[in-house]
Amino acid sequence: NAGVMQNPRHLVRRRGQEARLRCSPMKGHSHVYWYRQLPEEGLKFMVYLQKENIIDESGMPKERFSAEFPKEGPSILRIQQVVRGDSAAYFCASSPTSTAGNTIYFGEGSWLTVV
Amino acid sequence: GENVEQHPSTLSVQEGDSAVIKCTYSDSASNYFPWYKQELGKRPQLIIDIRSNVGEKKDQRIAVTLNKTAKHFSLHITETQPEDSAVYFCAAIGTGGFKTIFGAGTRLFVKA
């Protein structure tokens, strides 16, 4: 049973370009979460999605950031017109479909560097 | 929404000593409290968790305690080893039951 798969692992973008990060949850999991971790800092919640639905995006910046989890395919976190402050590790996590209080399991992360 | 505070931010102990990390949470409805360990450049990995119907849980050298009345929970590592050196995050499941909110992390150094 493969774990949470994220790609790319490392991504370099110039200021103003777009970054697109992908996440495939663990088999049998339909809840996906994105977290951002700035260097030497903690894990900040960004968005929680289920298939075709954004459930909670209270941690997402209002501009330039968007997320989706289509019926088919991975979840995608999209950052438009990247700036240096977007440089961070972006972790995706997933949990199974059941009641509240489920453990979330993290992918290996995508490290974004904006130059 | 839920808020999780974690202390200390840095902890240095001698090999063999114990380490204690403390967290408080704000949402009295929270009922699940996992702890994650993150090594440099790696993903956070679950090391132990506790649910609100239990006051204490132990797994070899690691134990967690929960005081629901005070909204405190703690991680205890006994007989620390250099490989325990990492950043540890406490977390709580907030209102709605699906959003895991993390503390700011504790960087643990175990000196040989």
Side-chain angles (χ1 to χ4, degrees), chain A residues 33 35 37 101 103-104 106, chain B residues 32 36 38 43 51 98 100:
Chain A
Y33 313 79
Y35 287 82
Q37 187 173 38
T103 305
I104 63 171
F106 284 93
Chain B
Y32 177 61
Y36 289 80
Q38 187 180 30
R43 63 180 168 175
R51 297 189 185 274
F98 288 106
T100 305

Side-chain angles (χ1 to χ4, degrees), chain A residues 43-97:
Chain A
L43 296 152
K44 299 296 184 187
F45 170 81
M46 298 181 75
V47 62
Y48 159 45
L49 311 103
Q50 294 180 23
K51 285 282 187 184
E52 300 184 277
N53 281 306
I54 296 174
I55 308 301
D56 185 335
E57 56 180 348
S58 57
M60 286 271 274
K62 292 287 184 278
E63 296 177 353
R64 302 188 298 108
F65 285 72
S66 62
E68 63 176 5
F69 190 14
K71 187 177 180 182
E72 300 291 336
S75 174
I76 295 174
L77 179 67
R78 184 180 176 210
I79 311 171
Q80 295 178 289
Q81 299 174 326
V82 296
V83 301
R84 287 225 171 98
D86 296 333
S87 296
Y90 292 84
F91 286 98
C92 172
S94 72
S95 67
T97 56

Side-chain angles (χ1 to χ4, degrees), chain B residues 9-90:
Chain B
S9 57
T10 305
L11 179 59
S12 185
V13 299
Q14 206 66 37
E15 182 179 2
D17 287 350
S18 295
V20 180
I21 302 170
K22 298 182 179 182
C23 291
T24 60
Y25 61 98
S26 61
D27 186 351
S28 55
S30 293
N31 61 0
Y32 177 61
F33 308 91
W35 287 85
Y36 289 80
K37 175 183 180 183
Q38 187 180 30
E39 297 176 349
L40 189 64
K42 302 280 185 68
R43 63 180 168 175
Q45 291 197 290
L46 180 76
I47 54 171
I48 196 167
D49 56 13
I50 190 167
R51 297 189 185 274
S52 59
N53 58 347
V54 175
E56 184 174 355
K57 183 177 178 181
K58 191 171 181 180
D59 182 4
Q60 298 182 8
R61 296 186 296 109
I62 296 174
V64 290
T65 58
L66 171 64
N67 182 331
K68 280 214 72 180
T69 304
K71 292 190 278 189
H72 289 174
F73 57 117
S74 300
L75 177 73
H76 304 252
I77 307 174
T78 57
E79 300 171 25
T80 54
Q81 301 166 3
E83 51 265 39
D84 294 330
S85 296
V87 179
Y88 291 80
F89 292 98
C90 62

Side-chain angles (χ1 to χ4, degrees), chain A residues 1-2 6 10 12 17 23 28 35 49 58 64 66 74 83 85 93 100 112:
Chain A
N1 186 10
Q6 287 189 250
H10 298 276
V12 179
Q17 291 185 319
C23 169
Y35 287 82
L49 311 103
S58 57
R64 302 188 298 108
S66 62
V83 301
L112 172 65

